[in-house]
Amino acid sequence: MNIDSMVGARVDDSLYKQGHRTYRVSKKDPNGLPHPKVVREVEHFCDQLEKRLDELLEDEQDEPLGEPLCEFGFSGRLKKRLNKHKTHTGSNYIMNLFEATLKLTFPEEDFGIEQYVLYIVPYRFLKAITEMFITRIGHGMVRFGGGFSHEPPGRSTRTKLSKKEWETALKVAQDHVDAEGNRKFYFAQMDEAKARLDAEIKAVEKKVDAQDEYQAEMDQLLGAMGPMGEEIDFEDLLTRLTETVEGLEEE
């Protein structure tokens, strides 16, 4: 079973051996051969995810990610779009390839992409903005190993905002968002996080200093005892010690 047959229609093995790849093709290439740009995007995703995993603590290695890999998008035909993601047709090829890889590598596990509806966008002109906003706060981009999105969010919503619509959005934001208050709150949070980190660093440094002092004392003690001779008759030493102890007992 090849990886391109894990989900959806099965790819003939002969085509697969010739280089056909379901998840790495150019729509303009009838032979389905890998497209250089797509290959670069997949490699970039792998590199970023590897860097993220390398930063995990040892006790986190076998645990689910605190923030799972994700992808956010908008669609006016929800069920149809979700089904395309599920069947790997006209979907995000990096996300699809990742899911297919899991199914091929871990057939006994139930790995798969879960789907959720997060928000109903009330106005047409908010489609692109909403997708950009949610992708940003959800860390859905390939960069830093956060998600599967490799193109700028909002581009595929087919929404071109007019100057008036942008001005309306700006006015709404200015009327309802306390930008200065948010900025102060953000920097206050950063200061608190920095203070906590500084305290943790000082605690670690204190622990290291204590260990260094202990090691120095041990080295000094061992040095005071002096080196032992290269050749020692331990049996003779034990005999003399035993005789000494017995002599003390007799006295």
Side-chain angles (χ1 to χ4, degrees):
M1 177 73 73
N2 59 63
I3 193 170
D4 293 289
S5 297
M6 296 307 300
V7 179
R10 178 176 174 79
V11 177
D12 185 82
D13 287 337
S14 61
L15 291 176
Y16 189 81
K17 292 178 180 179
Q18 293 174 19
H20 176 90
R21 295 295 182 269
T22 300
Y23 303 111
R24 301 186 304 167
V25 301
S26 168
K27 295 180 180 179
K28 298 179 181 180
D29 188 346
N31 297 318
L33 297 177
H35 188 278
K37 180 179 182 297
V38 176
V39 174
R40 288 195 300 271
E41 293 288 0
V42 173
E43 291 176 343
H44 180 56
F45 165 77
C46 294
D47 291 340
Q48 293 296 302
L49 180 58
E50 184 176 8
K51 289 180 181 179
R52 178 184 177 185
L53 297 179
D54 286 342
E55 295 176 356
L56 293 177
L57 300 176
E58 185 175 352
D59 58 353
E60 298 175 336
Q61 295 290 334
D62 295 325
E63 297 295 328
L65 291 174
E67 296 180 0
L69 298 175
C70 54
E71 192 258 3
F72 303 95
F74 171 86
S75 177
R77 291 176 287 184
L78 180 62
K79 291 184 178 180
K80 183 177 181 180
R81 185 56 181 157
L82 291 179
N83 186 63
K84 282 183 173 293
H85 287 310
K86 185 176 181 179
T87 57
H88 295 190
T89 55
S91 179
N92 181 316
Y93 61 84
I94 294 181
M95 179 172 67
N96 297 158
L97 178 60
F98 184 80
E99 183 178 23
T101 301
L102 291 179
K103 290 182 179 297
L104 179 65
T105 309
F106 306 101
E108 71 284 356
E109 301 291 344
D110 187 25
F111 287 121
I113 303 297
E114 297 184 356
Q115 300 176 329
Y116 300 95
V117 176
L118 300 181
Y119 182 69
I120 304 298
V121 181
Y123 303 107
R124 180 183 66 85
F125 74 91
L126 291 176
K127 292 189 297 184
I129 297 176
T130 302
E131 186 172 303
M132 287 186 283
F133 175 72
I134 295 181
T135 299
R136 177 63 185 87
I137 64 174
H139 300 286
M141 299 300 295
V142 166
R143 189 180 182 187
F144 304 128
F148 303 106
S149 295
H150 48 88
E151 296 288 349
R155 174 181 291 180
S156 61
T157 59
R158 298 179 182 178
T159 301
K160 183 178 180 180
L161 300 183
S162 66
K163 181 180 179 180
K164 183 178 180 180
E165 288 174 327
W166 277 114
E167 291 174 348
T168 301
L170 176 61
K171 186 177 186 305
V172 171
Q174 292 173 336
D175 291 343
H176 298 280
V177 177
D178 182 4
E180 181 62 21
N182 287 345
R183 188 188 70 82
K184 291 180 179 179
F185 175 78
Y186 172 77
F187 282 105
Q189 292 289 92
M190 292 294 292
D191 290 339
E192 291 180 7
K194 181 178 181 299
R196 288 195 301 269
L197 182 59
D198 288 341
E200 292 176 3
I201 292 175
K202 289 181 179 179
V204 172
E205 290 177 343
K206 185 177 180 180
K207 184 177 180 180
V208 171
D209 290 341
Q211 291 176 342
D212 290 342
E213 291 177 3
Y214 172 78
Q215 186 62 48
E217 292 176 357
M218 290 297 297
D219 292 341
Q220 185 178 4
L221 178 61
L222 292 174
M225 294 175 63
M228 300 182 68
E230 295 183 0
E231 296 183 2
I232 299 177
D233 188 341
F234 286 100
E235 292 186 2
D236 178 63
L237 178 61
L238 180 60
T239 300
R240 286 189 284 125
L241 288 173
T242 304
E243 292 175 351
T244 301
V245 172
E246 290 177 349
L248 292 174
E249 290 178 349
E250 291 176 358
E251 294 178 359

